[in-house]
Amino acid sequence: MLDIKNLSASVGGAEILHDLSLSVGTGEVHAIMGPNGSGKSTLAQVIAGRDDYDVTAGSVTLDGEDLLELDPEERAREGVFLGFQYPVEIPGVNNAYLLKAAVNAQRAHRGLDEIDVFEFLKLAKEKMALLGMDQKFLNRGVNEGFSGGEKKRNEILQMAMLEPRLAILDETDSGLDIDALKAVAHGVNALRSPERSIVLVTHYQRLLDYIQPDHVHVLSGGKIVRSGDKTLATELEERGYDWLKEAANG
Amino acid sequence: MATESEELESLVNRRYEHGFVTDIEMDTLPPGLNEDVIRAISARKNEPEFMLEWRLRAFRMWLEMREPNWAHVHYPPIDFDAISYFAAPKSDADRPKSLDEVDPKLLETYDKLGIPLHERARLAGVAVDAVFDSVSVATTFKEKLSEAGVIFCSFSEAVENHPELVKKYLGSVVPQRDNYYAALNSAVFSDGSFVYVPKGVRCPMELSTYFRINSANTGQFERTLIIADEGSYVSYLEGCTAPMRDENQLHAAVVELVAMKDAEIKYSTVQNWYPGDEEGKGGIYNFVTKRGDCRGANSKISWTQVETGSAITWKYPSCILRGDNSVGEFYSVAVANNFQQADTGTKMIHIGKNTSSTIVSKGISAGKAQNAYRGLVKVMPQAAGARNHTQCDSLLIGKECGAHTFPYMEIKNQGAKIEHEATTSKISADQLFYCRQRGLSEEDAVNMIVNGFCKEVFNELPMEFAVEAQALLNVSLEGAVG
Ligand SMILES: Nc1ncnc2c1ncn2[C@@H]1O[C@H](COP(=O)(O)OP(=O)(O)OP(=O)(O)O)[C@@H](O)[C@H]1O
Ligand SMILES: [Mg+2]
């Protein structure tokens, strides 16, 4: 599914990712953990195609297709979804409107007609129920005045509607109360399937209690410094990152 | 050196852009302006003596006045003697014979706006057989209105059939000497709309210039007068979202609204004059005086406008809040792209007690455009309990454009409550990336964000108009990013 080979990327002249390689198989769930500022969000944004980052070396492919060649919207329509660490507010733009536009952009890409309005609403309400979201969020401005947790749930709603091939969730668990965390985990688990890959960026073992990852990676100083199974997350919870940083530098 | 004014002259005089053969029309007055020209205009229109006198008075005032130069716009001087002030309606022989003869670029725009076929022909000035759909629609429309007692006709018809109303109200809101362009308009105005809604009548439908037959060619000096008598209501839609081709470069219209006791007038404009090409050449200069007089107690006037056209727009729809408890509103979206210059805003003059006004102005600048908001809130000493809320937001797209805000306040009553908020924002890279990550193209993302920015104003437009306005906005910002 996702293959990242020897990727280096910089922003404003500073190299953030150094020679990073990672591969995520179809149907797998991977967790990426690591200290603040280590490059996790950078990696997520580079995969999604943010053009502020310069890719200076390496390749990123999705099922063999070169993602770096594509515009962000083309990647999205091909099934790459990024749940943002800081979802942006778009004042005055109806949440349902963006959601529908996103669904239709994807359908057009697949040669399908626009979704019927009633069908759309039915689907959206279904997914919102699954996530324990009040329907009033459909008619509010995109993330406008949403609480931190509400923004994260809204990201998961978008993901649930778009059913991406590859979902990267950047700290979607941060700032969630216990119920919201369960709801989000529920949303992610519902999407788990043999055709789909999920990358969870997180700081907390807690999320991984609800979503069992197949692999756990530690990103530090712009590189993957350690990979393992889910027990690695438990170990990190106990020992922190220092021992890994030392190992990487030494 | 001669180039600028020569160029302007040729623009003003240009008949058809695409080289159709034109015979010199016998019924067109030679360029130039003097008292004889005004007498000739009045005579051609069979006007009563009072109209001619009124025009002549305006002309004499105009001669003494100077062109204003304080607006935040720049243009080469206009040669008023190079303009022809009377042209009889075109005969069909002069018009394009079919849509095949019309600029394909124009047709492409009609397509994007979803304008129906028969309408496209009308807008592009194609000679159409007298009978098409809209005529029969217009007839039923007229019947319904006359049942309700509403007068809705061209200005010329009003002068002929309702001279007492015209005499009573014409110039009572915008006097001839009000400003340079208003004086010029008063002297030479060609035609326009007239509306009178009698006491207690709620006009049964939205009035739109589209249905005003027999006045397709109102020309460059349009005059509109709307009177809502006590306790009446009317909603009036002006303009058209399709880009209007017009060989006249200078447009100086006057609109006067009168709302009597307990009456309400809602005036919505969606204007899309030809803005000129990407270099800013050939666009229309739009200098308009629009003013509403809340003459009676508890009356209300709302202006809502979406402006995307014109090379130069100079326009300040205003309200005079004379009646106690009267309400004035101004909701505006002004878009300026490429080399467009827009200088718009409003004036709210509080005279009556407990009068209140609301101003919501959304300015969008893209390309190399300059967009200025100029607003005046004036509270007279006797206007106890006056309130105003002004919200002035600017959105910049790109680095070379500008937004300017000039709020003026003259508050002569201590108790007045005046609030002013202003913001300037850019479409952020984060917003664009967010939308693109959800699969929207950059252009769709910009359109969506801009529409969100304008929402408060679009909400004030009648439903159908709002949809058109949105489509129009998207077309006018095409290519603004990237
Ligand atoms: N536009 C930028 N200009 C300069 N430095 C940047 C820019 N964007 C990111 N960086 C730097 O790159 C490094 C990696 O940032 P990134 O956001 O990827 O970290 P992260 O691993 O997601 O951290 P966190 O756990 O706090 O979310 C940080 O040191 C950050 O300051
Ligand atoms: Mg991060």
Side-chain angles (χ1 to χ4, degrees), chain A residues 11-12 14-17 34-45 52-53 85-86 170-171 201 203 219:
Chain A
V11 58
E15 192 170 279
I16 311 286
L17 302 178
N36 292 132
S38 60
K40 303 180 297 297
S41 294
T42 303
L43 176 63
Q45 307 242 352
D52 305 54
Y53 299 93
Q85 183 174 359
Y86 305 107
D170 192 357
E171 295 200 30
V201 174
H203 285 294
L219 182 61

Side-chain angles (χ1 to χ4, degrees), chain B residues 289-315:
Chain B
T289 307
K290 288 183 161 175
R291 192 172 305 150
D293 188 0
C294 285
R295 211 163 273 185
N298 310 313
S299 56
K300 177 176 175 184
I301 290 179
S302 306
W303 299 99
T304 306
Q305 59 172 26
V306 176
E307 287 279 342
T308 66
S310 305
I312 298 180
T313 304
W314 178 92
K315 173 172 171 180

Side-chain angles (χ1 to χ4, degrees), chain B residues 75-339:
Chain B
Y75 56 92
I78 298 170
D79 181 357
F80 291 94
D81 278 327
I83 298 172
S84 169
Y85 290 86
F86 186 87
K90 301 269 166 306
S91 79
D92 280 358
D94 288 342
R95 296 159 171 250
K97 304 286 179 293
S98 73
L99 280 175
D100 298 341
E101 291 180 16
V102 174
D103 183 357
K105 248 187 143 171
L106 192 64
L107 296 180
E108 204 178 293
T109 312
Y110 290 168
D111 213 30
K112 285 178 192 155
L113 290 168
I115 312 264
L117 266 177
H118 66 268
E119 276 245 7
R120 294 183 199 189
R122 184 180 67 88
L123 291 165
V126 172
V128 194
D129 285 344
V131 189
F132 58 85
D133 280 3
S134 68
V135 176
S136 55
V137 176
T139 312
T140 14
F141 183 86
K142 285 220 149 178
E143 276 166 13
K144 259 192 154 170
L145 283 179
S146 67
E147 257 168 51
V150 174
I151 302 170
F152 179 36
C153 59
S154 74
F155 207 96
S156 308
E157 286 172 284
V159 170
E160 200 176 324
N161 302 326
H162 309 282
E164 67 304 334
L165 285 174
V166 173
K167 209 167 172 176
K168 184 168 173 192
Y169 292 103
L170 177 67
S172 72
V173 186
V174 180
Q176 292 132 302
R177 68 169 75 248
D178 189 79
N179 67 70
Y180 188 80
Y181 301 110
L184 178 63
N185 175 288
S186 301
V188 302
F189 72 84
S190 30
D191 211 333
S193 300
F194 178 87
V195 177
Y196 175 79
V197 189
K199 282 184 190 171
V201 171
R202 199 182 159 87
C203 187
M205 67 256 297
E206 259 137 15
L207 300 182
S208 146
T209 38
Y210 170 67
F211 287 113
R212 200 194 56 220
I213 36 179
N214 291 334
S215 55
N217 190 9
T218 47
Q220 56 194 136
F221 301 102
E222 191 169 349
R223 187 98 197 179
T224 300
L225 176 57
I226 299 176
I227 304 136
D229 215 330
E230 291 182 12
S232 69
Y233 169 85
V234 63
S235 165
Y236 184 89
L237 314 181
E238 174 201 42
C240 181
T241 51
M244 293 283 255
R245 266 290 136 149
D246 199 309
E247 67 261 38
N248 301 311
Q249 188 172 33
L250 172 67
H251 279 252
V254 172
V255 176
E256 297 180 276
L257 310 182
V258 182
M260 308 302 281
K261 187 166 165 283
D262 299 318
E264 179 176 348
I265 302 176
K266 194 170 162 58
Y267 192 106
S268 314
T269 309
V270 173
Q271 197 65 275
N272 188 19
W273 295 113
Y274 182 55
D277 63 15
E278 286 81 2
E279 314 270 79
K281 284 220 175 91
I284 281 176
Y285 297 178
N286 191 25
F287 301 114
V288 185
T289 307
K290 288 183 161 175
R291 192 172 305 150
D293 188 0
C294 285
R295 211 163 273 185
N298 310 313
S299 56
K300 177 176 175 184
I301 290 179
S302 306
W303 299 99
T304 306
Q305 59 172 26
V306 176
E307 287 279 342
T308 66
S310 305
I312 298 180
T313 304
W314 178 92
K315 173 172 171 180
Y316 309 91
S318 308
C319 296
I320 302 170
L321 304 170
R322 207 183 296 278
D324 291 347
N325 308 313
S326 60
V327 176
E329 294 177 336
F330 174 76
Y331 296 94
S332 161
V333 168
V335 183
N337 197 357
N338 295 326
F339 284 86

